[in-house]
Amino acid sequence: MAPVTAFGEEMYELVERLYPLCRSITGDGVRATLEIVGEYLPLHVHEVPTGTQVLDWTVPQEWNIRDAYVADASGRRVVDFRASSLHVLGYSVPVSATMPLAELRPHLHTLPDHPSWVPYRTSYYKPEWGFCLAQETLDALPDGEYEVRIDSTLADGHLTYAEHVVPGQVADEVIVSCHVCHPSLANDNLAGIAVATFLARTLAEQKPYYTYRFLFAPGTIGAITWLALNAERVERVKHGLVLACAGDPGPLTYKRSRRGDAEIDRVLQHVLAASERPHRVTEFTPYGYDERQFCSPGFDLGVGSLTRTPYAGYPEYHTSADDLDFVSPRAMADTLAVCREAFGVLDRNRRYLNLSPYGEPQLGRRGLYDSLGGRSDAKQAQMAMLWVLNLSDGEHSLLDVAERSGLPFDTVAAAADALHGAGLLKA
């Protein structure tokens, strides 16, 4: 298997391929995105019809767009969808008109504090139309008549999402979710898609303990749709992670689940602390990405969120400055590495029962001390065996042992494997 760092460039190349596509919560841009991801992973694509009731929501009409522009009297496009999909208010209804700048202005969205950036704006559930442009572009527009054209359709169709499943040794599931609804925003959300894609590929080579279900879906409505259509299988979801903002230069941030002490919360906190990476661990709030759907009180799943800089935590968020220069192969590779480390802990975190609990069993006559000969960490490995034996009462997990002893989880898990092999532990 290639080292994790080798995937950085490949993930960046995937982001580059996805970047030009115009995505939204429905439509051909989502399908085109999933088609490209499908070149990396086999996907099961679902099409959910407009009007389908999903929990308290209804699948909306499908939105597609072919072209859009604002042109001056000479016919020059001063705002052009072909230059960037961010230039159109997402879900804009069609419009074809000529109007003075004063009438057009209420439909123009800018960022005065960042006059060269184009904002990302949407109007999913309210019929509206508009354009997004740089403030400096707007400032340069003279009064006069402008041709306004949005060649879009809002019609009954489908909401599209996809799943990829990495089979495990047990049916209990870990869900990994990323959103596929944003247009040309490299960090939010393309880096998350890339990390999820390569995480799935690497897990498939490891024959994991848990079954890992990867969900590529539009934000909010996509997760709600999945939950509505899979209510009978939600009880299988034992752990979960939402991936977003996975490629920016900031330190990693883990946001706990609603429970706050779910196993995934403890695992990510342990892995980040043990790695000595700069990082933050934050409490759950019912705002953010789709962790808030999985953690809604009716489901209350153990699902946290991993980002680098969190949503709205960097000036480039939801603007044209969240471009290909804002993300890096190194940052995505680092996010992927932490995911792999975390799921490695999650997959091996067992509870054992000491089969010789009265007094300390004689390890030497079982060859366990001899197996440590020549190891630079022999003393640490020996202490790990003693800690595992002492806390293996059927109540404490290996993560409990690692946290209480201060020893690396890998060392604790290796000790448990050795003791289990010697007949001193029962899983």
Side-chain angles (χ1 to χ4, degrees), residues 186-252:
N187 193 44
D188 176 28
N189 56 343
L190 299 180
I193 295 172
V195 170
T197 299
F198 280 81
L199 178 59
R201 292 178 67 175
T202 58
L203 281 171
E205 299 174 5
Q206 299 171 16
K207 298 180 180 177
Y209 176 74
Y210 288 109
T211 293
Y212 286 81
R213 183 175 300 275
F214 287 79
L215 179 61
F216 300 86
T220 305
I221 186 65
I224 286 171
T225 298
W226 186 87
L227 286 164
L229 300 181
N230 292 273
E232 78 288 348
R233 66 179 309 126
V234 164
E235 63 182 19
R236 296 187 194 176
V237 178
K238 305 304 180 185
H239 320 281
L241 191 63
V242 172
L243 287 172
C245 300
D248 69 79
L252 284 158

Side-chain angles (χ1 to χ4, degrees), residues 134-149:
Q135 180 67 45
E136 60 189 21
T137 300
L138 177 58
D139 291 342
L141 295 182
D143 289 334
E145 295 289 308
Y146 288 86
E147 181 188 359
V148 179
R149 171 79 166 160

